[in-house]
Amino acid sequence: MRGDAMTEPQLLHEAVVIERIQESPVIFTLRLSFTDPELQAGYRFEPGQFNMVGLYGVGQSPISIVSDPQDERLLDHTIRGLGRVTLGLSRLAAGDRVGLRGPYGRGWPLAQAQGRDIVLITGGLGCAPAVSVIRYVLRRRERFGYLTILQGVKHADDLIWRRQYAQWSAFPDVHVGLAADVGAPGWFGVVGPVTALFDQAPIRAGSLVMMCGPEIMMRVVAAELVRRGIDENDMWLSMERNMHCATGLCGHCQIGPHFVCRDGPVFRYPELKALLGERGF
Amino acid sequence: MAATGFLLRSHLQDLLDALVAVGYRCVGPQVRDGAVCYDTLREAADLPWGWRDAQNPGTYRLRQTGGAYAFAWANGPQGLKPLLFAPRELLQTSIRAPDGGLRFAAPVASVGAMAVVGVRACDLAALRLLDQHFIGGFVPDPHYAARRADLFLIAVHCSHPAATCFCVSTGDGPRAEQGFDLALGETEAGFVVFAGSAAGAGLAERLPLRPAQAAEEAFVDAALADAVKAQTRSLPSRDLRAGLFGNLRHPRWEAVASRCLSCGNCTAVCPTCFCHGEGEEVAADGASSARYRQWDSCFTQEHSAIHGMVIRADTRQRYRQWLTHKLGSWHGQYGRSGCVGCGRCITWCPVGIDITEEAAAVCAGTP
């Protein structure tokens, strides 16, 4: 956390939009940089952590950081324009200012993942927290084992970053699998749920699994992976909840005893198993 | 705990004066809008002398008995929570310069030292929980911390529990055991005074105390023993995690939801409910914006809304969230139940839903 975190834990700091990239009709990336160079230089985060991005006069939204932690110049935030804040953010252009505070929460277990095979399973539209892991691993290819990327979408047309998936699959020791519940002409992936990809994918015992997407999907996937010999403690998932403070105080993000902003957003599967996909929690 | 001395009723004003003399603003119970409320207290005469309360599920009534006691009533709708966790707090100001540049400031209101007179054991227990939540974590809340820093607490042993009280079953009352600077046990002649801290002992030295007589201490003990016996409500256990989370599909959740108005009164009067929402208020000229937080409730739709989806869309899920959190998840968060047995949620529920009854029904298992 930046600045006088202990006395001003929620204070925003000015950041400037360096570049805005349209990823899909509703998804865009803001490349941000703190205007205070000292703040920017001292900022550290781990993939899977998030920032609160503040739009002047409107509000703040938790957005996961997808740039590389060693990039000292830019902080990339990939955002889906859906609510008041994120739709407002979607209208920003290079040079515009926002408020930024963070990073918050627990990121992906990348230290534990060193030297091991990684299986990344995502569902839904553009799973930003997972993209941060893929980029991290591909930039440090030699430190990790086999990388398996499995993405499921409802409809074939929902898939974004087609080109990126193609680029990723060209890396050595990378397997990319795509599945759509509903296919479409020209769909090159599998038609079915994301678990339909498992037979073709190199999911080996000892792999570390990271998941992101609808909770029901993650619950089904976790159960299937247990059947395939993956240890529950080697499965990690990124959760999404309403957040106002990001400092474990406001209470909106609770799942059972967990504050997602503070204890997550990345959780070990057994921590959430009992309530994962349980409607109302 | 041995008594420090005895303060005659006619000397109660000396206590307030002593607190003011050492720099405290005094807050104490007074009758306002038909209820006992905590507000700035200047005169001991403004305390609820002679007032008694009658509380039942969904009802609260005060009546003047002409009696000699100032504290012969059980808690009104609020205790310490609003004094420390303000219902509304300015968190941040944003200023936008004509060139679009943004400047932010996070002011912490300076509140000064506060002494609260008349705090009950249930609210002391609730305070320990709020302390854990707001200042015990890795990111302490500066606003709560500022209000908490110079707080002097004068407890009163609770001799007149309401029908809705169940602090005996949660282990939090009626005797104030810890967490106070001074505690008072009321008798007809005045107050047996107990010091609970060095600051409390220091203040006691400034008071015209005489030694407490054994009969006076015995009277206070007897009143507390009666207060224990008077409580008829109770929770089935102090740890209901298994009973609640093991019965998430119990039909009782549906039954209580058919009565619950999802109004949030229970969360507003609960001395440990900490949820709050944050929002922006832009100045009319657009040049500045203020970010406030204010009390929120898990009974609202917005509480669990994320991009076009509401996690708890119906009252069944919201009541279940509240109860499983209050009596269940709190154990994982702060090492005990979040309920201190004050009974406010029962009294102030407009339809009289009784937390002890609902918890017992769900935890009894599938019928």
Side-chain angles (χ1 to χ4, degrees):
Chain A
M1 207 171 305
R2 306 307 320 136
D4 298 318
M6 295 310 279
T7 54
E8 298 177 327
Q10 285 196 284
L11 184 65
L12 288 172
H13 297 276
E14 187 192 55
V16 61
V17 178
I18 302 293
E19 190 185 354
R20 181 192 182 285
I21 303 161
Q22 193 73 42
E23 309 277 4
S24 87
V26 291
I27 297 173
F28 60 99
T29 296
L30 292 182
R31 318 197 77 183
L32 303 175
S33 179
F34 285 107
T35 47
D36 176 350
E38 212 175 296
L39 209 55
Q40 181 62 38
Y43 183 93
R44 295 284 176 275
F45 75 96
E46 294 165 20
Q49 287 190 301
F50 66 94
N51 280 325
M52 293 299 281
V53 182
L55 180 64
Y56 172 79
V58 181
Q60 303 179 6
S61 204
I63 310 285
S64 91
I65 314 158
V66 295
S67 46
D68 194 275
Q70 281 181 347
D71 181 341
E72 288 177 4
R73 300 161 304 118
L74 292 173
L75 296 164
D76 290 358
H77 297 77
T78 295
I79 305 166
R80 202 178 332 166
L82 276 171
R84 250 159 38 92
V85 175
T86 52
L87 277 173
L89 291 171
S90 77
R91 298 194 189 104
L92 297 183
D96 285 340
R97 315 295 172 90
V98 296
L100 199 60
R101 59 184 175 99
Y104 295 107
R106 174 168 66 174
W108 296 106
L110 287 166
Q112 269 191 52
Q114 299 248 356
R116 297 170 67 178
D117 290 351
I118 297 173
V119 179
L120 214 90
I121 303 171
T122 60
L125 298 163
C127 206
V131 171
S132 68
V133 173
I134 296 171
R135 292 181 180 162
Y136 185 91
V137 170
L138 292 180
R139 287 201 182 102
R140 298 158 183 80
R141 198 65 206 85
E142 69 293 346
R143 288 201 221 158
F144 300 92
Y146 208 92
L147 176 64
T148 300
I149 303 166
L150 305 177
Q151 158 83 20
V153 289
K154 262 197 199 119
H155 194 278
D157 293 342
D158 294 340
L159 185 72
I160 65 160
W161 292 322
R162 275 176 196 245
R163 240 179 332 175
Q164 285 208 18
Y165 284 106
Q167 285 167 7
W168 292 335
S169 66
F171 274 81
D173 297 335
V174 174
H175 171 92
V176 173
L178 300 170
D181 290 330
V182 182
W187 174 245
F188 45 90
V190 166
V191 175
V194 74
T195 46
L197 299 166
F198 285 11
D199 283 337
Q200 263 69 53
I203 300 175
R204 291 186 281 259
S207 297
L208 197 115
V209 180
M210 305 185 204
M211 286 184 253
C212 169
E215 286 165 40
I216 297 292
M217 180 279 285
M218 294 198 282
R219 193 175 69 178
V220 170
V221 164
E224 179 57 29
L225 289 173
V226 167
R227 267 195 293 281
R228 290 170 183 257
I230 302 288
D231 190 321
E232 287 187 347
N233 284 304
D234 284 335
M235 296 186 215
W236 298 77
L237 18 102
S238 181
M239 303 295 289
E240 204 178 346
R241 280 295 179 276
N242 185 328
M243 285 179 196
H244 290 203
C245 71
T247 55
L249 295 177
C250 79
H252 290 87
C253 71
Q254 295 175 90
I255 304 175
H258 307 291
F259 293 92
V260 172
C261 70
R262 187 190 73 189
D263 308 329
V266 174
F267 289 92
R268 206 188 271 266
Y269 171 57
E271 294 173 324
L272 291 180
K273 188 179 173 186
L275 291 177
L276 186 66
E278 181 72 49
R279 288 172 61 99
F281 285 94
Chain B
M1 186 179 285
T4 307
F6 191 89
L7 183 71
L8 284 170
R9 196 143 62 89
S10 54
H11 284 144
L12 194 55
Q13 183 65 40
D14 293 338
L15 172 61
L16 302 187
D17 294 345
L19 288 164
V20 170
V22 292
Y24 289 105
R25 174 174 73 93
C26 286
V27 168
Q30 290 144 80
V31 175
R32 291 254 190 290
D33 303 326
V36 175
C37 300
Y38 286 82
D39 205 343
T40 300
L41 179 70
R42 290 187 182 82
E43 306 290 333
D46 293 338
L47 288 164
W49 296 102
W51 288 94
R52 297 289 304 272
D53 61 321
Q55 301 192 39
N56 275 298
T59 75
Y60 177 96
R61 293 289 181 273
L62 285 181
R63 66 192 159 87
Q64 178 54 256
T65 63
Y69 293 84
F71 298 99
W73 40 267
N75 260 322
Q78 297 291 347
L80 293 171
K81 183 171 90 167
L83 302 174
L84 295 161
F85 166 36
R88 183 175 157 90
E89 189 100 64
L90 175 65
L91 297 180
Q92 175 168 266
T93 56
S94 311
I95 294 170
R96 182 165 64 179
D99 70 353
L102 300 175
R103 278 189 295 121
F104 303 99
V108 175
S110 79
V111 285
M114 174 171 63
V116 187
V117 181
V119 184
R120 303 307 172 91
C122 55
D123 284 339
L124 291 173
L127 180 66
R128 287 193 288 279
L129 284 169
L130 289 180
D131 283 352
Q132 279 184 273
H133 180 70
F134 283 103
I135 51 180
F138 75 117
V139 184
D141 175 57
H143 308 281
Y144 182 96
R147 294 171 195 278
R148 181 71 175 95
D150 297 308
L151 185 67
F152 190 96
L153 294 169
I154 299 169
V156 170
H157 294 315
C158 203
S159 53
H160 291 71
T164 44
C165 290
F166 55 100
C167 65
V168 173
S169 90
T170 65
D172 297 309
R175 185 191 290 270
E177 306 269 11
Q178 54 172 319
F180 55 81
D181 296 294
L182 287 177
L184 308 177
E186 190 170 23
T187 74
E188 201 161 324
F191 304 91
V192 181
V193 178
F194 305 85
S197 71
L203 194 90
E205 283 174 21
R206 304 172 71 102
L207 302 176
L209 300 184
R210 64 154 169 81
Q213 295 163 11
E216 288 160 347
E217 290 190 59
F219 179 87
V220 170
D221 288 342
L224 283 166
D226 288 346
V228 169
K229 275 184 262 166
Q231 292 189 20
T232 54
R233 286 186 158 79
S234 65
L235 284 172
S237 147
R238 287 182 195 171
D239 186 351
L240 296 170
R241 272 179 290 188
L244 293 170
F245 283 103
N247 287 296
L248 293 178
R249 286 175 184 74
H250 197 290
R252 186 76 183 199
W253 299 117
E254 199 64 62
V256 68
S258 71
R259 300 166 60 210
C260 173
L261 308 178
S262 214
C263 71
N265 263 19
C266 49
T267 58
V269 297
C270 176
T272 67
C273 270
F274 52 69
C275 282
H276 54 271
E278 299 183 6
E280 295 280 335
E281 286 179 17
V282 193
D285 66 358
S288 67
S289 181
R291 187 165 176 88
Y292 288 92
R293 76 173 175 205
Q294 62 184 41
W295 289 3
D296 197 357
S297 170
C298 54
F299 283 89
T300 67
Q301 175 167 301
E302 295 75 20
H303 188 275
S304 65
I306 45 171
H307 50 73
M309 167 190 172
V310 175
I311 305 269
R312 288 179 281 280
D314 60 47
T315 302
R316 183 186 67 94
Q317 293 173 337
R318 292 180 201 160
Y319 189 87
R320 192 180 65 175
Q321 166 66 22
W322 183 65
L323 205 71
T324 55
H325 180 224
K326 187 66 58 190
L327 303 178
S329 307
W330 272 83
H331 287 272
Q333 293 173 336
Y334 300 114
R336 59 157 290 175
S337 155
C339 177
V340 296
C342 73
R344 288 183 175 102
C345 59
I346 306 174
T347 296
W348 296 94
C349 174
V351 295
I353 293 170
D354 180 343
I355 186 174
T356 63
E357 210 177 293
E358 299 309 316
V362 170
C363 294
T366 312

